Amino acid sequence: MNRRKQWWLAAVVGLAVTGIGATPANAATTSGKYLSGNVGYVRTKNAMYVGISKKTNGKYKQVKVKKNTLLAVGSTLSSDDGNGGVKTTALFTYGVVNYKRAKTLKYKNMATIPFTKANFKRVSLKAPIRTQIFLAGKGYTANSTNTKAAPTAGFYLTLDNYLQYYSKAAMAKDRYLFGSRWAGTTNVYKPTSSVKVSKVTVKGNTTKVDYNKALQGLPNQKLSKNHYRLTITNQQTTGSLGILPVDDTFDAIASWTNYTVNGKAYHFGEIEYGN
């Protein structure tokens, strides 16, 4: 039987909670002390250390995050608390932030921080498109030999409000960035160009992203001096592409959802390789 696997999954840290260990994560609801279920993002209720370090003057130092800081939950671990109950711990990152900031950060690789309701509250992103990788064009296309998808330029919106654009050449260099639906914190991707975003608004299937400087590579809409906008609309249509195997063991399927960005065709998808 053809077993499909997503080789980029490790890159998508912070998008979903993974229960680890023999005890189901939802067992933590026994005491009501811990958050449970699939939690992608939280905000801190207190200032605290959550396993994040920042590099300053060549040395990493633990960061005490402020109250109400947005954090991405990388994974959770549920285990016996020794008193017949269950305790849940979590791994945290800042999630997908801008390149200059991201390259100074280091995170723990184990879920060790108590995932308590007293310290964290679950949140949903007001702009769900954040960290989605939008690729230019109406969908994936195969290369000349139909052995892999041909790279295209693309961009994404970070959690700390930066648009980061990647040229076709930049995408071709990084299979995780090109083949994934979402950018992740495991790999730090240097953009071809970027700009700070001033405002993000969401209405229905459309997200409007405003910024004050035209971003090279994107179909910028100029509204006035120092005011540009991307209007990103989910067309709610999908597509797929089968790619021939390189040999007798590997093949791939690309799938996507169609979007428009200021009226230009873009898509949001993934490439799944199997064997």
Side-chain angles (χ1 to χ4, degrees), residues 210-267:
D210 289 28
Y211 45 101
N212 62 13
K213 183 179 69 174
L215 187 61
Q216 180 185 356
L218 292 185
N220 309 279
Q221 178 190 9
K222 186 175 183 179
L223 300 180
S224 62
K225 184 179 180 180
N226 298 326
H227 188 182
Y228 295 84
R229 175 177 291 168
L230 292 185
T231 299
I232 304 169
T233 303
N234 186 340
Q235 299 299 299
Q236 297 185 302
T237 58
T238 60
S240 63
L241 171 71
I243 299 174
L244 295 175
V246 177
D247 51 34
D248 291 334
T249 58
F250 291 94
D251 62 355
I253 291 179
S255 58
W256 64 87
T257 300
N258 294 302
Y259 279 76
T260 57
V261 179
N262 287 349
K264 303 292 185 181
Y266 277 74
H267 60 283

Side-chain angles (χ1 to χ4, degrees), residues 28 34-35 64 68 95 97 123 130 137 143 174 198 205 211 217:
Y34 300 96
L35 290 171
K64 188 174 186 179
N68 208 38
V97 295
V123 297
R130 293 184 192 276
N143 64 1
D174 200 308
S198 58
N205 298 322
Y211 45 101

Side-chain angles (χ1 to χ4, degrees), residues 115-193:
F115 201 35
T116 61
K117 294 178 181 178
N119 285 325
F120 305 101
K121 59 180 178 181
R122 70 178 72 208
V123 297
S124 297
L125 298 180
K126 293 181 179 179
I129 69 158
R130 293 184 192 276
T131 78
Q132 285 186 210
I133 301 170
F134 293 99
L135 300 173
K138 296 181 179 180
Y140 289 101
T141 58
N143 64 1
S144 59
T145 58
N146 200 28
T147 56
K148 61 182 179 180
T152 61
F155 72 94
Y156 58 85
L157 175 64
T158 68
L159 294 173
D160 57 349
N161 290 320
Y162 280 79
L163 281 172
Q164 297 197 157
Y165 166 80
Y166 298 82
S167 66
K168 178 180 177 179
M171 283 289 187
K173 291 178 181 179
D174 200 308
R175 65 177 186 174
Y176 294 103
L177 185 61
F178 177 65
S180 305
R181 288 186 182 274
W182 294 275
T185 56
T186 300
N187 298 291
V188 178
Y189 313 109
K190 184 177 181 178
T192 306
S193 56

